């Protein structure tokens, strides 16, 4: 009958991430040695759909890395000077980065970005506290820190392509922050 099911929408949405990774990184991938291989791993390993993730079995690593690659690729395409992502340095960058990604805002002034994907509302506050502590550690060479958060697991319930709880969730997030 040609009708699309909810599963069609979910599969389409999830597959767009893979296409976005390719499109965002295509002009930049060769400047980050090892990144092409890492992008292939991210697309091949781990669960394809978010619904298949399990925080208990740590099956989220590829999807967590994919989020870092999506954020850094988006920044690169906005002409932000990304110098490292997931431990891979750009070929002309001689510094170090322990963050999920780092970018140079102006000459020798860097920002570290930690990319987080908390799986539940209850884990968000503790995740942010841990991330804040990490960004405030000594030895970060005076870099400022930013946290990029993927809240999709809280906004869109598993198996749903739209959540009726969005307004309630947003109120909760603003209340605890």
């Amino acid at each position: 009958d040609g009708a699309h099911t909810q599963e069609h929408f979910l599969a389409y949405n999830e597959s767009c991430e893979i296409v976005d990774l390719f499109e965002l990184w295509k002009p930049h991938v060769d400047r980050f040695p090892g990144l092409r291989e890492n992008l292939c791993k991210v697309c091949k390993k781990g669960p394809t759909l978010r619904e298949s993730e399990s925080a208990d079995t740590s099956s989220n690593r590829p999807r967590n890395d994919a989020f870092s690659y999506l954020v850094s690729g988006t920044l690169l395409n906005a002409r932000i000077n990304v110098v490292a992502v997931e431990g891979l340095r750009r070929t002309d960058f001689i510094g170090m980065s322990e963050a999920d990604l780092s970018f140079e805002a102006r000459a020798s002034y860097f920002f570290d970005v930690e990319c987080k994907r908390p799986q539940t509302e209850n884990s968000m506050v503790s995740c942010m506290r841990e991330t804040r502590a990490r960004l405030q550690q000594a030895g970060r060479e005076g870099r400022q820190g930013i946290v990029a958060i993927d809240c999709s697991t809280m906004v869109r319930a598993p198996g749903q392509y739209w959540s009726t709880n969005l307004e309630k969730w947003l109120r909760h997030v603003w209340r605890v922050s």
Side-chain angles (χ1 to χ4, degrees):
D1 66 9
H4 292 288
T5 65
Q6 187 165 295
E7 287 77 20
H8 286 105
F9 288 108
L10 292 172
Y12 174 79
N13 180 55
E14 299 287 332
S15 66
C16 285
E17 275 188 19
I18 295 170
V19 173
D20 288 345
L21 280 172
F22 174 78
E23 292 294 326
L24 290 168
W25 278 101
K26 186 177 177 183
H28 309 285
V29 71
D30 293 328
R31 297 177 66 202
F32 293 81
L35 183 60
R36 185 180 311 273
E37 294 78 13
N38 286 8
L39 289 171
C40 287
K41 282 183 204 170
V42 161
C43 293
K44 290 179 182 177
K45 295 198 181 228
T48 304
L49 296 177
R50 181 176 59 85
E51 283 73 12
S52 302
E53 287 185 273
S54 170
D56 298 333
T57 62
S58 299
S59 66
N60 304 342
R61 179 82 266 147
R63 292 186 62 82
N64 292 347
D65 290 348
F67 179 55
S68 295
Y69 296 137
L70 284 169
V71 172
S72 56
T74 301
L75 291 172
L76 275 168
N77 284 281
R79 299 181 189 226
I80 303 296
N81 192 17
V82 174
V83 295
V85 59
E86 290 297 333
L88 302 173
R89 295 182 311 196
R90 197 177 63 205
T91 52
D92 60 343
F93 179 61
I94 57 172
M96 297 300 293
S97 172
E98 293 182 19
D100 292 332
L101 70 104
S102 296
F103 66 89
E104 187 174 26
R106 60 180 185 260
S108 298
Y109 189 75
F110 296 91
F111 281 86
D112 286 340
V113 180
E114 293 292 336
C115 298
K116 300 298 171 196
R117 297 177 61 246
Q119 297 296 301
T120 65
E121 288 181 45
N122 293 337
S123 68
M124 180 175 289
V125 173
S126 63
C127 176
M128 291 304 300
R129 285 186 179 132
E130 290 170 21
T131 304
R132 180 179 178 186
R134 182 173 176 186
L135 287 169
Q136 293 176 333
Q137 286 177 347
R140 292 189 72 90
E141 301 174 6
R143 294 180 184 183
Q144 298 296 310
I146 298 173
V147 181
I149 305 173
D150 175 354
C151 297
S152 61
T153 60
M154 290 161 267
V155 174
R156 182 176 67 81
Q160 302 292 316
Y161 56 90
W162 182 250
S163 172
T164 56
N165 295 324
L166 179 59
E167 185 178 343
K168 175 185 164 194
W169 179 84
L170 288 172
R171 273 189 254 130
H172 171 74
V173 169
W174 293 120
R175 182 173 44 85
V176 296
S177 53

